[in-house]
Amino acid sequence: DTSLAEVNSLSPSMPISPSSMINQYKFEDEPEIRDLFITVDDPESHITAIETFITYRVVTKTSRGEFDSSEYEVRRRYQDFLWLKSKLEEAHPTLIIPPLPEKFIMKGMVERFSDEFIETRRKALHKFLNRIADHPTLTFNEDFKIFLTAQAWELSSHKKQGPGLLSRMGQTVRAVASSVRGAVKNRPEMFTEMNDYMETFSQKINVLDKIAHRIYKEERDYFNEMKEYGPIHTLWSASEEDIAESLKGVAGCIDKCCKATEKRMAGLSENLLPILHEYVLYSEILMGVLKRRDQIQGELDSKVDALANKKTEKDLFSEEIGKLEDKVECANNALKADWDRWKQNMQCDMRSTFTNVAENNLRYYEE
């Protein structure tokens, strides 16, 4: 609704050519003072007797005092990124941790270890680290610093200090047990609204994701047919002297359409599909964050109920309740601040993405 109002408020004489349309949507935010710059590049294949995997170079430049150097260069594989994400979730259960590309991203569209797959993943990993770097809390996480600076053997040693399997299983069991207890009694209205918003958002973003993939598949099928159709006219022209020039002209037109379609497909696969799928993953992450907030709230509620039913041990219960109240307040404040930030980023990403799609479509039809 906001974007429609903004479009309607623009001058009626606004030019609608592709080059000028995008300028209507520039975001003139105040410049931020950044002190941490991260680049993910230079993918490299590694083949061992047990497995084949890709590592990526992670280059960090910073002016922060807590770093021993101003520049670091390390190599990381996908499993290292997964470890970082799990450590951030463990340390900040009610913050919105950016999603990672799945183990096999865009399954069925690209082959694993193909150049296209590796480049798609590199971009996603680059975005993942930079979203963390731009986050006001996550950027100062100690595990994030270690991920950016430690050499491979140091990181491996640090990983071994993490919680064991039984500890992780315990967390999972507690989470499952909490999820089946039912609705939280004293959930603030704000978080009920967030939950409703995310349920609707999840449905809509999943539909958009499916439609975008279907459009891409149809474009690819159309492109493949045109690739065969053009040369047929060129061959045909050799046996039809009277209409040879016309047939060659048709072949040339098909070739131009073919190239324009290929560019359009590249725009969809580079700009639209990854963004939509990223927010499909974000919707799952946010539902998980809201559940974890409810879990903390549920723990407090059960202690309050227990205190009301017990006549003894009141001092002990009161102390536990005080700690849980602080925990709930911290969780609520963290999620509220992150929620506003996430919604603003999401709206900017969506507006920019769909504007780019419109730009590409205009160029495509003009060509």
Side-chain angles (χ1 to χ4, degrees):
D1 294 339
T2 308
S3 58
L4 285 173
E6 287 173 5
V7 170
N8 290 336
S9 69
L10 296 170
S11 165
S13 61
M14 179 185 83
I16 56 168
S17 68
S19 58
S20 60
M21 180 178 162
I22 192 76
N23 293 328
Q24 302 295 334
Y25 291 91
K26 295 294 181 194
F27 299 99
E28 295 179 359
D29 296 328
E30 291 182 14
E32 293 180 8
I33 300 170
R34 291 189 63 191
D35 55 6
L36 186 64
F37 299 87
I38 304 168
T39 307
V40 178
D41 61 10
D42 190 27
E44 194 176 281
S45 296
H46 300 263
I47 301 170
T48 69
I50 302 170
E51 60 180 339
T52 301
F53 60 93
I54 309 291
T55 62
Y56 300 85
R57 181 174 65 174
V58 178
V59 178
T60 305
K61 295 182 180 180
T62 182
S63 57
R64 290 186 187 173
E66 65 265 26
F67 286 83
D68 297 330
S69 174
S70 61
E71 189 167 338
Y72 295 87
E73 182 179 314
V74 294
R75 294 203 74 85
R76 297 287 182 253
R77 57 184 295 185
Y78 180 75
Q79 287 180 358
D80 299 328
F81 287 86
L82 277 179
W83 169 82
L84 173 61
K85 184 172 183 289
S86 69
K87 294 300 283 184
L88 292 173
E89 287 171 347
E90 188 182 305
H92 309 282
T94 54
L95 289 181
I96 302 165
I97 312 300
L100 269 174
E102 292 148 310
K103 190 82 175 166
F104 300 103
I105 194 168
M106 292 161 65
K107 193 175 179 183
M109 293 183 64
V110 290
E111 290 182 20
R112 193 182 177 210
F113 300 135
S114 68
D115 290 344
E116 187 183 349
F117 171 86
I118 292 168
E119 178 59 15
T120 302
R121 172 165 283 183
R122 184 202 64 75
K123 286 179 180 174
L125 296 176
H126 176 87
K127 182 181 277 189
F128 169 72
L129 292 183
N130 278 279
R131 284 199 189 278
I132 296 169
D134 290 340
H135 192 283
T137 303
L138 299 178
T139 189
F140 297 108
N141 177 275
E142 187 62 23
D143 289 304
F144 181 48
K145 179 186 169 187
I146 288 166
F147 177 91
L148 296 177
T149 61
Q151 291 306 309
W153 65 270
E154 293 174 304
L155 182 65
S156 180
S157 173
H158 183 75
K159 280 183 182 181
K160 289 172 184 172
Q161 299 169 16
L165 177 64
L166 291 174
S167 170
R168 292 198 299 275
M169 283 176 65
Q171 291 168 6
T172 306
V173 169
R174 284 198 298 275
V176 171
S178 170
S179 66
V180 296
R181 281 180 196 155
V184 179
K185 288 187 297 182
N186 300 316
R187 181 200 280 159
E189 182 64 26
M190 171 185 288
F191 298 108
T192 300
E193 288 172 7
M194 280 186 196
N195 206 67
D196 294 342
Y197 180 96
M198 283 316 303
E199 283 180 3
T200 305
F201 179 83
S202 179
Q203 290 170 2
K204 291 188 176 183
I205 201 72
N206 273 283
V207 168
L208 280 172
D209 187 50
K210 286 175 185 172
I211 290 171
H213 276 83
R214 192 178 71 216
I215 289 170
Y216 182 87
K217 183 180 178 298
E218 288 172 357
E219 286 289 305
R220 188 180 58 192
D221 292 344
Y222 176 54
F223 171 73
N224 288 335
E225 284 187 21
M226 276 200 296
K227 273 205 304 188
E228 295 177 9
Y229 196 45
I232 289 170
H233 284 75
T234 305
L235 291 170
W236 187 7
S237 67
S239 59
E240 295 279 358
E241 290 183 14
D242 294 345
I243 55 170
E245 289 305 311
S246 297
L247 290 170
K248 284 178 184 174
V250 171
C253 286
I254 293 171
D255 184 55
K256 285 180 183 175
C257 288
C258 205
K259 286 174 182 170
T261 303
E262 191 171 21
K263 276 199 283 185
R264 190 187 193 194
M265 283 166 57
L268 290 172
S269 66
E270 289 170 16
N271 301 320
L272 180 64
L273 297 180
I275 292 290
L276 290 179
H277 196 67
E278 182 185 14
Y279 278 95
V280 167
L281 298 177
Y282 256 129
S283 70
E284 295 168 7
I285 287 166
L286 269 149
M287 294 302 279
V289 168
L290 287 163
K291 276 185 183 174
R292 287 195 288 274
R293 194 222 69 86
D294 283 354
Q295 185 179 344
I296 297 167
Q297 177 87 54
E299 206 176 336
L300 171 63
D301 293 346
S302 67
K303 287 288 181 189
V304 171
D305 290 345
L307 178 62
N309 295 329
K310 278 196 177 243
K311 293 178 181 176
T312 57
E313 302 173 10
K314 282 204 171 185
D315 291 342
L316 179 64
F317 268 76
S318 296
E319 188 180 340
E320 285 185 27
I321 285 170
K323 287 178 182 176
L324 282 168
E325 283 174 342
D326 290 344
K327 196 175 175 183
V328 168
E329 188 177 355
C330 286
N332 290 351
N333 290 338
L335 181 50
K336 274 189 270 187
D338 240 17
W339 173 260
D340 292 337
R341 195 172 170 279
W342 176 81
K343 274 187 81 173
Q344 187 177 1
N345 285 343
M346 180 269 290
Q347 287 163 355
C348 285
D349 283 346
M350 289 295 162
R351 189 183 301 180
S352 172
T353 297
F354 284 109
T355 303
N356 280 336
V357 171
E359 287 281 314
N360 287 336
N361 284 347
L362 284 167
R363 275 192 291 270
Y364 169 76
Y365 287 115
E366 282 176 354
E367 285 174 22

